[in-house]
């Protein structure tokens, strides 16, 4: 693991070089102080303490060359944003949405242009979290990011596409902070796509906070396919107001080692969180995930649904964590964690974890880890389907319920295409 020298001058240099406002400079310094005293997060039954998460030598402002992108790395929709490394290469937002007050920009421009909004919302989703060293590292040293603001009573019918492309054409960590604010009585669908250009070994640290106002509806679909040479940490966190609803649909298709946390805080009555995750691991890849729902208020509903497929010598740990706080009466917390083993050398763990601090609630869990059902393969092969194709069909069926939850057709198609490429390499 890299020894990261204590050097507060790095924070100062980032702030001064980018002419950041005093509010952001203050937040960076606070995060830096927390970072020096915090520890890596805990992912139960998953060892990652010796991974290289920090690169002190290459944290600096560097523009990326958009000419390095090919035609596949462009907006598939009329609305959205593309970032290549630290460089925002495209922002498309209709005049109608701009007139309604929708804001979509890189986060540093947002700090300059909308300081009151950023002061109000930035870091609210995890303001009580001070012990996660990787989150504090992101808050202290982030060099890219996105700000999306949906004003009250605004319903966006078409998905907004956010493309975040890691620039590994050189040594440069991707440290990105995305803030998404959906005000009361609004609705939006977000398609996020994370990918890599280049072959250098790098770190990636991506933190996304979603603030969902009263009666809002947020659908967040993410497809992550970072390169094998990338060590990746992510944290996706939502804070939900009264009767707000978030639906996560996350496809973890990275080729490198990955550790991540998805957390939904149901902080007000009537709020709901549905968290759907699929992961496909290959080679000697290691992936560990905490998927957490915290029922903090009465009459809240949380559902966790995780399906993983393990190939070759890979390792996957799913921790589904449901936490019903005392006072959250009338709440529901359900979870399913399922892992399909396609190799005898793979290691898979599906851990359902429930913390129940209230009596008048409904909670349940299901977990399974095992190989492909031989009867399913026999049925398919007995009807003339080649064995390799039959295995792919079984896997597609196993992941189908989660893939089907993705409302965006484009994201579903991308997930299926990446899945097929992985299975063909087996």
């Amino acid at each position: 693991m890299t020894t990261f020298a204590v050097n507060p001058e790095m924070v100062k240099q980032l702030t001064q070089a980018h002419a950041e406002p005093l509010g952001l400079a203050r937040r960076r310094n606070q995060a830096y102080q927390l970072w020096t005293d915090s520890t890596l997060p805990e992912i139960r039954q998953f060892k990652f303490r010796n991974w290289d998460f920090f690169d002190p030598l290459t944290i600096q402002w560097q523009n990326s060359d958009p000419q390095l992108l090919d035609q596949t790395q462009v907006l598939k929709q009329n609305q959205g944003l593309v970032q290549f490394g630290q460089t925002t290469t495209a922002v498309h937002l209709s005049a109608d949405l701009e007139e309604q007050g929708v804001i979509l920009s890189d986060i540093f421009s947002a700090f300059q242009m909308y300081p009151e909004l950023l002061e109000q919302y930035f870091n609210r989703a995890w303001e009580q979290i001070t012990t996660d060293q990787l989150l504090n590292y992101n808050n202290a040293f982030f060099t890219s990011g996105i700000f999306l603001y949906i004003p009250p009573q605004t319903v966006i019918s078409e998905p907004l596409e956010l493309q975040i492309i890691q620039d590994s054409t050189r040594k440069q960590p991707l440290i990105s902070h995305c803030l998404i604010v959906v005000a009361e009585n609004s609705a939006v669908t977000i398609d996020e796509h994370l990918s890599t250009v280049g072959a250098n070994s790098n770190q990636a640290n991506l933190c996304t906070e979603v603030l969902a106002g009263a009666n809002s509806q947020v659908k967040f679909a993410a497809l992550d396919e970072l390169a094998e040479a990338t060590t990746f940490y992510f944290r996706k966190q939502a804070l939900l107001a009264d009767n707000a609803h978030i639906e996560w649909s996350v496809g973890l298709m990275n080729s490198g080692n990955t550790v991540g946390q998805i957390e939904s805080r149901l902080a007000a009555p009537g709020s709901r969180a549905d968290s759907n995750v699929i992961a496909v691991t290959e080679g000697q890849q290691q992936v560990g995930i905490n998927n957490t729902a915290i029922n903090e208020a009465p009459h809240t509903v949380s559902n966790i649904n995780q399906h993983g497929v393990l190939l070759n010598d890979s390792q996957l740990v799913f921790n589904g964590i449901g936490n019903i706080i005392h006072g959250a009466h009338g709440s529901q917390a359900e979870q399913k964690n399922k892992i399909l083993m396609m190799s005898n050398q793979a290691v898979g763990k599906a851990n359902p974890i429930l913390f129940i601090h209230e009596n008048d609630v409904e909670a349940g869990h299901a977990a399974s880890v095992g190989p492909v059902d031989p009867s399913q393969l026999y049925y398919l092969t007995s009807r003339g389907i080649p064995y390799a194709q039959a295995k792919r069909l079984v896997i597609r069926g196993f992941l189908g319920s989660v893939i089907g939850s993705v409302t965006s057709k484009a994201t579903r198609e991308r997930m299926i295409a990446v899945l097929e490429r992985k299975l063909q390499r087996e």
Side-chain angles (χ1 to χ4, degrees):
M1 182 173 177
T2 302
T3 301
F4 200 105
V6 177
N7 184 2
E9 281 298 313
M10 297 177 63
V11 179
K12 184 177 179 181
Q13 290 169 8
L14 284 176
T15 299
Q16 291 179 342
H18 214 245
E20 293 178 349
L22 291 177
L24 178 53
R26 183 184 70 252
R27 293 174 183 277
R28 280 196 190 272
N29 281 299
Q30 290 172 345
Y32 176 79
Q33 295 301 321
L34 290 172
W35 173 74
T36 59
D37 297 326
S38 54
T39 59
L40 294 175
E42 179 185 359
I43 308 293
R44 185 174 296 193
Q45 297 189 350
F46 187 69
K47 297 180 180 180
F48 62 98
R49 303 286 167 175
N50 62 338
W51 292 12
D52 282 332
F53 288 108
F54 311 119
D55 186 348
L57 301 178
T58 56
I59 298 179
Q60 54 186 295
W61 298 116
Q62 301 182 73
N63 289 322
S64 297
D65 182 5
Q67 298 300 317
L68 297 173
L69 302 180
D70 61 35
Q71 292 183 352
T72 65
Q73 288 143 342
V74 296
L75 286 174
K76 300 294 191 302
Q77 307 286 344
N78 291 328
Q79 321 267 37
L81 181 148
V82 178
Q83 283 187 344
F84 179 32
Q86 301 171 12
T87 304
T88 300
T89 63
V91 181
H92 296 165
L93 201 62
S94 70
D96 179 58
L97 291 182
E98 289 182 345
E99 289 176 2
Q100 294 180 61
V102 176
I103 300 170
L104 178 60
S105 80
D106 72 275
I107 199 161
F108 301 108
S109 296
F111 265 103
Q112 297 283 354
M113 299 173 64
Y114 313 102
E116 293 183 358
L117 284 176
L118 272 295
E119 282 293 320
Q120 180 180 356
Y121 294 116
F122 188 78
N123 273 354
R124 268 191 58 197
W126 40 57
E127 58 190 355
Q128 298 175 348
I129 301 171
T130 60
T131 58
D132 184 340
Q133 189 176 42
L134 295 171
L135 173 60
N136 291 328
Y137 171 74
N138 182 285
N139 284 329
F141 297 108
F142 69 96
T143 52
S144 64
I146 298 170
F147 177 58
L148 172 62
Y149 175 73
I150 312 295
Q153 287 82 44
T154 303
V155 176
I156 301 179
S157 56
E158 295 296 325
L160 296 180
E161 185 173 349
L162 307 179
Q163 287 202 37
I164 301 173
I165 304 166
Q166 179 190 29
D167 185 357
S168 284
T169 62
R170 55 190 167 190
K171 290 292 294 181
Q172 178 185 8
L174 173 65
I175 311 175
S176 177
H177 191 120
C178 297
L179 171 59
I180 297 168
V181 180
V182 183
E184 60 269 18
N185 301 307
S186 294
V188 66
T189 297
I190 298 165
D191 289 348
E192 180 188 83
H193 187 205
L194 188 58
S195 59
T196 302
V197 169
N200 275 293
S201 176
N202 275 312
Q203 298 84 14
N205 183 313
L206 177 63
C207 292
T208 302
E209 52 179 327
V210 178
L211 305 175
N215 303 302
S216 64
Q217 303 286 324
V218 183
K219 295 182 179 180
F220 192 107
L223 173 59
D224 298 352
E225 48 173 332
L226 293 176
E228 183 178 358
T230 297
T231 301
F232 181 38
Y233 168 77
F234 72 87
R235 184 166 195 138
K236 299 182 186 297
Q237 183 131 350
L239 179 63
L240 282 74
D242 301 75
N243 299 307
H245 181 199
I246 188 167
E247 183 175 336
W248 301 104
S249 299
V250 179
L252 298 173
M253 302 290 188
N254 304 303
S255 296
N257 291 338
T258 301
V259 61
Q261 302 191 82
I262 302 169
E263 184 169 299
S264 303
R265 288 180 52 200
L266 293 88
S271 54
R272 178 186 177 110
D274 296 292
S275 186
N276 305 298
V277 177
I278 62 171
V280 179
T281 59
E282 59 184 335
Q284 295 184 332
Q285 183 184 14
Q286 300 176 59
V287 176
I289 304 298
N290 280 349
N291 195 342
T292 304
I294 306 175
N295 297 71
E296 299 181 7
H299 304 291
T300 52
V301 178
S302 63
N303 292 294
I304 296 172
N305 187 17
Q306 304 188 105
H307 287 206
V309 175
L310 282 77
L311 310 173
N312 313 120
D313 301 325
S314 61
Q315 178 185 3
L316 172 63
V317 175
F318 273 152
N319 292 321
I321 306 172
N323 190 356
I324 301 181
I325 302 299
H326 179 66
H329 56 83
S331 293
Q332 301 176 35
E334 297 288 340
Q335 60 171 279
K336 296 179 182 178
N337 306 281
K338 297 184 177 182
I339 289 179
L340 187 63
M341 311 286 289
M342 302 302 296
S343 167
N344 293 330
Q345 287 72 47
V347 177
K349 299 177 182 178
N351 301 316
I353 303 166
L354 289 173
F355 301 99
I356 310 297
H357 304 283
E358 182 60 61
N359 293 321
D360 180 23
V361 298
E362 296 180 18
H365 64 79
S368 65
V369 178
V372 173
D373 185 347
S375 63
Q376 293 179 336
L377 287 176
Y378 175 77
Y379 177 85
L380 294 171
T381 55
S382 66
R383 278 147 180 80
I385 299 175
Y387 181 77
Q389 184 180 353
K391 281 207 305 183
R392 291 201 294 273
L393 289 173
V394 170
I395 292 171
R396 284 278 298 275
F398 176 76
L399 299 177
S401 63
V402 180
I403 294 177
S405 70
V406 179
T407 56
S408 166
K409 180 180 178 181
T411 300
R412 282 200 311 273
E413 291 176 346
R414 278 200 297 251
M415 284 186 179
I416 293 170
V418 176
L419 172 63
E420 288 295 329
R421 288 201 301 269
K422 285 181 175 287
L423 296 179
Q424 288 174 3
R425 291 199 297 264
E426 185 193 6

